[in-house]
Amino acid sequence: MPRLSDIITALDALWPRSLAEQWDAVGTVCGDPDAEIGRVLFAVDPVWEVADEAVRTGADLLITHHPLYLRGTTTVAADTFKGRVVHTLIKNDVALHVAHTNADRADPGVSDALAGALGLRVVGPLVPDPTDPRGRRGLGRICELDHPTTLAAFTALAAERLPATAQGVRATGDPEALLTRIAVSGGSGDSLFDDVRAAGVDAFLTADLRHHPASEAAQRPGAPALIDAAHWATERPWCELAATQLDAVSERHGWGLRTFVSSTVTDPWTAHAASAPSVSHDPSGAPN
């Protein structure tokens, strides 16, 4: 079996740490470099339920998209949520490795997996990496549909294809507008509105769209439609892609790794109630 250090070398080739944003915290959080690795679990979030799943499934290595300690810490005490995760992993000899914005920018990366889940054909990055001579790395992806589809139909397709969440999928714009070119970005994407407009796409699918940026973006003449899905749902397809990538590495090296994708839903929202139909309101309180 390979050692953790061998696996980390392979992961750094798939998702180079140099591609990560300066503020990001990627790489190995815990684990003995000499430990033998046979089973690897992929997940979006390093929460306790996922750490418990790693232990229950006999994983030697947990690879997550989101960092455990993004802003640093002064304690790993077990009476804190994150400290409990660290204690659970170390006590059970489970290593933790993070691939975050380096996986976003990689080729293929998080947005390629999102496009694949939606049946979209990727034509290039939304924000190209200037250091990539092939022009394939970068944030987000510009995609094309094989056949024009209405906004309403594509929104319904996204709700069907992406993992189910309480939020579901919502959209701005004319439901009957035809879409042919769509930009996608896994995770929070409202910082990319300028790039989306410059790309000349018909719609932008991402997550965590806030009221004011979305409202202002939608008011611009000729603005693309916005499609807002749950953060976890837009990034979970990457886990499947990443597991497949590591499987290919394992096969080339004859490692015999067994890879798994977490079945734990870590989207934080657990319930949704649709708004009631609007009714006319009489300020006087009189019946109407």
Side-chain angles (χ1 to χ4, degrees):
M1 286 191 295
R3 299 186 183 278
L4 176 61
S5 58
D6 300 319
I7 304 293
I8 299 307
T9 299
L11 300 182
D12 284 342
L14 291 173
W15 315 299
R17 300 187 207 192
S18 61
L19 297 179
E21 296 278 4
Q22 290 186 344
W23 50 260
D24 206 359
V26 301
T28 307
V29 178
C30 64
D32 180 352
D34 291 327
E36 292 186 336
I37 305 296
R39 298 165 71 92
V40 181
L41 179 68
F42 286 86
V44 174
D45 297 298
V47 295
W48 186 82
E49 292 84 356
V50 170
D52 181 60
E53 181 182 7
V55 173
R56 286 187 287 102
T57 56
D60 306 299
L61 170 62
L62 170 62
I63 300 174
T64 65
H65 182 51
H66 289 152
L68 179 63
Y69 289 110
L70 183 57
R71 294 176 176 85
T73 187
T74 59
T75 178
V76 292
D79 60 353
T80 65
F81 139 58
K82 294 186 178 185
R84 184 182 181 194
V85 170
V86 172
H87 277 255
T88 298
L89 294 175
I90 291 177
K91 287 170 64 177
N92 291 279
D93 295 322
V94 182
L96 172 61
H97 186 85
V98 173
H100 192 211
T101 53
N102 50 328
D104 289 332
R105 283 200 165 91
D107 170 38
V110 171
S111 293
D112 292 290
L114 174 58
L118 298 169
L120 297 172
R121 184 173 65 257
V122 173
V123 298
L126 176 61
V127 184
D129 179 349
T131 68
D132 179 18
R134 298 185 303 166
R136 297 174 59 172
R137 291 199 307 260
L139 290 176
R141 294 295 183 265
I142 299 173
C143 309
E144 293 181 348
L145 286 159
D146 288 332
H147 305 285
T149 303
T150 66
L151 173 61
F154 185 76
T155 302
L157 174 71
E160 177 186 338
R161 294 281 187 88
L162 295 178
T165 60
Q167 172 184 318
V169 181
R170 55 187 181 176
T172 71
D174 178 2
E176 298 306 313
L178 287 178
L179 312 180
T180 58
R181 283 170 61 87
I182 298 174
V184 301
S185 181
S188 304
D190 60 16
S191 65
L192 302 177
F193 282 161
D194 288 344
D195 302 287
V196 170
R197 283 189 290 271
V201 295
D202 304 309
F204 177 40
L205 185 147
T206 187
D208 295 342
L209 292 183
R210 295 169 293 160
H211 175 86
H212 292 296
S215 176
E216 292 169 8
Q219 293 300 312
R220 291 175 177 261
L226 301 176
I227 305 170
D228 184 38
H231 191 122
W232 172 81
T234 64
E235 294 180 331
R236 196 325 184 132
W238 173 78
C239 295
E240 302 281 355
L241 170 63
T244 300
Q245 290 178 276
L246 186 56
D247 282 339
V249 174
S250 173
E251 186 173 347
R252 286 199 303 270
H253 290 283
W255 286 344
L257 287 178
R258 296 188 63 187
T259 62
F260 305 85
V261 174
S262 172
S263 60
T264 302
V265 177
T266 55
D267 185 75
W269 306 107
T270 58
H272 170 78
S275 300
S278 60
V279 295
S280 59
H281 175 67
D282 183 350
S284 70
N288 53 35

